[in-house]
Every structure is written in C-alpha cells, then in structure tokens.
Amino acid sequence: MLSPAERLPQLGGGGLGERSAGRDQRDHGDGESDQHKALKERFARAAELGGFHAELEVRAPDGRRRTDVLVTGADGRQIGFEPQLSYSTAPAVRRRDLASRDQGVTPVWHVLDPKAPLIDYVHWSRTDNLPPEAILNDRDMLVRGGVRGLELDKCDLTNPYPCPVRRHGRCGNWHPRWEPRARQLDDLVRDIAAGDYVPLTIKQSQRTLRFWISNTDFDLFTDNGGQEDRPDPAPKKKRIRIPEQRDAECSRIREESDVRSAPQPPRDSGETIRSAVTITRTTPPPRPAAARPPSECPTIDITWDQGQAAAAQAGCNPWELGPCAGCGTPINRYGPRPAHACAPCRARYGSR
C-alpha cells in the first residue's frame, strides 16, 4: 500500500492515487481541491475498514442528487458524506439535504470552518482545517463540533439553573443537557454507518439545532417525552434582483469610510443545550462523571496566521496561547484571566 506521502503528488489529477497495489484509483469530480478529495478518500476508507461499502461521486438516476461519498451501512441504510469546503448559502445546502433525504439517503455534511453557514441548518460535523497530506495520513482526526452527548443534572439547590420545565425554582428531578462530545472522525463514520449514531433535530427558543447523538441517548431522550422537531420544508429559491445604478459619489464615500461591519461569531459555539424534559426515576441512573483532563497538556502546532486568528477569538496575544488540557484547542492559557481548559471541557469535567 502506498504511503500518504506517495499518494499526495497525484492529488491534482483526477484521483488520489492507488489505495493499494493492484486496486483501481478512486474517481473524483472535476474542479475539486486536494483537500476536498482527501476528505472524500478519508470517509470512504474509514467506512471500508468498518466492513461497509463506499462509492464516490454517485449520481441519482434522475440527476437531482450527486453524493460525494455514498456508504451502504447496516440494514441497507444509505449515508451520504458531503464535505462542504467552498462557500454555499444555508438555503442552498438545505435544498440539497432534503433532496437526498427524499431519495432515502441520510446526508452527513462536513465542514472545517466554525462559521460555516450550513451549521444547524443541516446535520453536520466539523474537524480542524488540516492540509491534504495530514487528512490522508492515518493520524487521528478529532471531530470538534456537530456531535453531542446526553448528560443529566439534578434539579436541586446545588444546580445554579432554574427548573427548565417550570422555569423557576427546583423540582428535584433529573433534566438532560446536551454537551459537545469529541469523537474520532473514522469512528464516527463507522458508528453512523452501523446505526449507532443518529441525527437529532430540536428547537431551542427561536433556534433549530441539529447534531448527531448515540442511539442510547436518543432512546433515553425520546422515552421521557423529548420530541424531535420535524424537518422544515425546502426553502424556495429567491428571484435575482438586478440592483439599480449607484451614485458614484455615494459609492466613493462608502469605500473611503472607516466603518466596517463586526465579524460574524462562530455558528459552532459549543454552548450547552438544555431541554425542558424530565427524566423519570424508572430510567437508568445518570452516568458517572468523566475523568478529569490529564495533567500533561497536549501541545499545539499552528501557523502564525492561525495563531493570530485563535488569539483574536480568545482575546489575548498570540504568544499567550496554550493548549486546552482536555482537547488541545488553542485558548488563553498565559494572558490576562487565563484558563486551564476551554469552556466545553470545563463543563464536561466539572473543573473551573
């Protein structure tokens, strides 16, 4: 079998190189980036190592659907893994998502940008923005967003939040909260193909949230009154409106102005999601708390530009960045008001 380094020089062509001696190359679409081809190869390889069949660039007979990586999972279920690296509006992706579901394919949209517009418009997952050679490598790829796990909180005076059902006081029962759950990408691909992880859609205030959860958490949630939100109809395409000719003087004043719009916050915020559901005492007891993060912190290996972006998000200088003790994400470790771990890890492990 060729090493990732040997496969990499062939990325710019029509395929990713031979996967093993005597086997055909995979076919990829025209005009795709090397990073996009590498992700497709990674999805297909992960599924095949789990004993599932994977095909690339599968088109529906009616032409309404083209799936990047179509995996045939357990019980004949079909899952479409769709890396979406180029910009696309959320309504456009939503229409493609519903078209796939109408034909019996469950899409898994994958992004690298926490600000991707499709986040929570479709069921998604997110990993770090790695170069093609790192994606093709057998190194672990940690899923940073789009996967959550169910945790139970006792609704008593030790809980700082009011009862989510009564919206005041404490009721003494157990209530669920959804926390981000880190998974290895290859494991998630195989779990979705096996049916061990399923999509969940819930409404939180005015927002609709979509993520992947385990079958066990799905049963625990729905058996206690938790309801999955119905999918919205496909958004209609808007008519293209031709703008009127702008006044040259107004355009000049606007271009010379120092006023700029505020940067958009990440759609993948990693915040805790609390549901107004009561877990009855007939259900299994809550899981024990997870072990605390290891004392030896991982290291971070990022470029200067990535450090600048991470420092701006963390509110510190680039040289004050350090790895989260739980997941290794760059955070403010050594600047003003530093933290030992990121907010999701602190909530998961119960540390401050």
Side-chain angles (χ1 to χ4, degrees), residues 17-312:
E18 295 184 24
R19 294 155 48 222
S20 60
R23 300 185 65 178
D24 295 334
Q25 297 181 0
R26 298 187 194 271
D27 294 327
H28 294 266
D30 296 332
E32 294 180 348
S33 67
D34 291 349
Q35 198 176 32
H36 190 272
K37 294 176 183 178
L39 280 170
K40 289 162 57 178
E41 178 75 12
R42 183 69 181 250
F43 283 129
R45 185 175 63 190
E48 290 176 344
L49 289 176
F52 304 105
H53 179 67
E55 296 179 84
L56 269 63
E57 298 295 328
V58 179
R59 296 181 180 272
D62 58 3
R64 293 181 56 223
R65 170 183 57 82
R66 180 186 63 83
T67 304
D68 282 340
V69 182
L70 183 64
V71 174
T72 302
D75 301 326
R77 62 172 57 89
Q78 290 191 314
I79 303 97
F81 292 91
E82 304 278 6
Q84 185 65 40
L85 307 188
S86 60
Y87 178 83
S88 182
T89 63
V93 175
R94 184 78 179 130
R95 284 192 292 268
R96 292 168 55 191
D97 183 87
L98 291 175
S100 296
R101 293 181 183 276
D102 289 343
Q103 296 187 352
V105 177
T106 301
V108 185
W109 297 89
H110 189 78
V111 298
L112 308 178
D113 184 3
K115 296 181 180 180
L118 62 82
I119 290 178
D120 284 337
Y121 275 82
V122 290
H123 292 94
W124 56 284
S125 62
R126 180 178 70 84
T127 55
D128 292 331
N129 191 355
L130 300 175
E133 60 269 19
I135 297 173
L136 284 176
N137 202 323
D138 290 331
R139 62 178 289 180
D140 290 336
M141 288 182 64
L142 190 65
V143 177
R144 301 288 187 181
V147 180
R148 290 183 178 266
L150 187 71
E151 304 290 344
L152 297 180
D153 289 330
K154 183 74 171 179
C155 189
D156 55 18
L157 294 178
T158 63
N159 193 330
Y161 296 95
C163 175
V165 177
R166 301 190 305 186
R167 300 189 180 277
H168 64 86
R170 308 292 189 275
C171 68
N173 294 315
W174 294 93
H175 300 301
R177 58 181 165 86
W178 299 101
E179 293 286 358
R181 180 146 305 169
R183 295 295 312 280
Q184 297 298 338
L185 180 65
D186 296 350
D187 293 338
L188 180 64
V189 170
R190 290 187 279 267
D191 286 342
I192 293 177
D196 295 334
Y197 265 67
V198 295
L200 179 68
T201 304
I202 61 174
K203 283 217 169 179
Q204 186 81 358
S205 184
Q206 301 298 322
R207 297 173 55 195
T208 299
L209 304 170
R210 294 177 173 88
F211 45 89
W212 296 90
I213 62 172
S214 68
N215 249 333
T216 304
D217 288 345
F218 183 88
D219 293 339
L220 181 62
F221 182 67
T222 55
D223 290 347
N224 286 274
Q227 295 184 354
E228 184 176 14
D229 191 57
R230 294 183 178 179
D232 301 327
K236 297 181 179 179
K237 292 184 179 180
K238 295 183 179 180
R239 291 184 177 180
I240 300 176
R241 182 180 177 183
I242 301 176
E244 298 178 357
Q245 186 69 28
R246 292 184 179 180
D247 183 81
E249 181 65 17
C250 293
S251 300
R252 183 190 64 79
I253 294 175
R254 182 173 182 179
E255 291 174 358
E256 295 178 356
S257 174
D258 292 333
V259 179
R260 296 291 184 269
S261 59
Q264 292 296 321
R267 293 185 59 83
D268 179 15
S269 62
E271 61 184 326
T272 298
I273 302 172
R274 290 179 168 83
S275 299
V277 174
T278 298
I279 305 297
T280 62
R281 297 184 180 181
T282 57
T283 56
R287 305 189 194 98
R292 290 183 177 273
S295 57
E296 294 185 0
C297 301
T299 59
I300 55 175
D301 184 14
I302 56 178
T303 64
W304 174 255
D305 292 338
Q306 292 172 336
Q308 291 275 25

